[in-house]
Amino acid sequence: MTHILLIEDEVKLARFIESELNYEGYQVSIAYDGLTALMATQKFHPDLVILDWMLPGASGLEICRCLRNTDAHVPIILLTPEEDVNNRNPGLDAGANDYVQKPLSIEELLVRVRTHLRYKQQDGTTDVLKFEELILNRRTRIVYRGQRLVKLTTQEFDLLEYLLMHPRQIITCDRILEEVWAYNFIGDANIIEVCIGYLRLKLEANNERRIVQTVSGVGYVLDK
């Protein structure tokens, strides 16, 4: 499910936007100040950010710069009260992709959200891979399952990354050996079985549902 981070200190407005986004099928997290927003970004790696220009403690401009420094690809839409379009240029220079004027039209905001998410999907360059509640950041090499941090070895991370790049596709052991560890393997694929075993232990540490499935005699598939 597409995850949107909404950074807005007006509680009533934030709840209204959240309900409209939920109705459209998006998952929404709300941050009411800059510090909470930055922590939420690091934790959830949202697919899109809606950012108010005026925030307590730090300006939307400062938060925008911080967000862009930590994620080069996430679309950022500014909510700005400014009537003069030239006053929005600093926000765009700071890394925002677009802006919507307040008092906002929710229809206009939803159109902008859909547009930028579509551009992101077409671009194909993303640091974050997701499947269900599993989130993997390829740049920081951090993995979360829900809100739980999952610490993986290099080999486990590379294997999970490859499975996340091909969700619901059966991947043979030979293909894993050639494309994940980049060598031709002679003999059985015990190395993969061992790595899968450790990966499952870490992904299911809190009795979560198994998502790395075995396809007997063939290989593995990421599926629920």
Side-chain angles (χ1 to χ4, degrees), residues 45-215:
H45 306 288
D47 299 292
L48 182 140
V49 174
I50 300 173
L51 170 63
D52 187 21
W53 182 269
M54 304 294 291
L55 290 169
S59 71
L61 194 64
E62 294 171 319
I63 299 303
C64 188
R65 289 196 186 100
C66 290
L67 293 177
R68 186 55 72 217
N69 287 336
T70 58
D71 192 327
H73 305 296
V74 64
I76 301 174
I77 299 175
L78 279 175
L79 303 182
T80 170
E82 300 291 347
E83 295 181 359
D84 183 355
V85 69
N86 293 325
N87 289 335
R88 301 188 184 107
N89 289 340
L92 299 177
D93 290 339
N97 300 87
D98 206 346
Y99 55 82
V100 175
Q101 184 177 325
K102 295 169 72 173
L104 64 85
S105 161
I106 191 63
E107 291 80 11
E108 180 183 3
L109 178 60
L110 292 174
V111 168
R112 302 293 180 92
V113 167
R114 287 192 293 267
T115 298
H116 286 288
L117 288 173
R118 183 169 64 250
Y119 286 162
K120 182 179 179 181
Q121 291 171 354
Q122 292 172 349
D123 181 30
T125 57
T126 178
D127 290 329
V128 179
L129 300 174
K130 297 182 180 181
F131 182 82
E132 299 292 322
E133 73 277 17
L134 186 65
I135 300 173
L136 179 147
N137 189 302
R138 304 165 84 174
R139 183 174 56 81
T140 63
R141 297 184 71 85
I142 292 175
V143 176
Y144 276 94
R145 183 152 190 183
Q147 297 186 20
R148 180 173 65 85
L149 177 65
V150 182
K151 295 183 179 181
L152 301 177
T153 66
T154 299
Q155 203 170 61
E156 292 161 359
F157 182 94
D158 291 344
L159 176 56
L160 180 60
E161 178 186 23
Y162 189 73
L163 292 173
L164 280 164
M165 291 170 62
H166 305 85
R168 298 189 175 90
Q169 297 180 36
I170 297 174
I171 309 297
T172 66
C173 292
D174 287 343
R175 185 175 168 187
I176 291 173
L177 287 166
E178 292 174 6
E179 298 192 30
V180 178
W181 288 298
Y183 64 87
N184 294 320
F185 186 78
I186 300 176
D188 63 32
N190 184 61
I191 183 175
I192 301 177
E193 184 179 349
V194 171
C195 190
I196 288 287
Y198 284 120
L199 184 59
R200 283 173 172 162
L201 284 174
K202 294 178 180 181
L203 293 178
E204 304 166 15
N206 285 356
N207 295 316
E208 292 98 338
R209 182 180 68 252
R210 175 158 295 180
I211 57 174
V212 180
Q213 312 291 347
T214 300
V215 181

Side-chain angles (χ1 to χ4, degrees), residues 27-40:
Q27 180 183 356
V28 181
S29 295
I30 301 177
Y32 297 103
D33 60 75
L35 179 59
T36 304
L38 293 175
M39 293 173 62

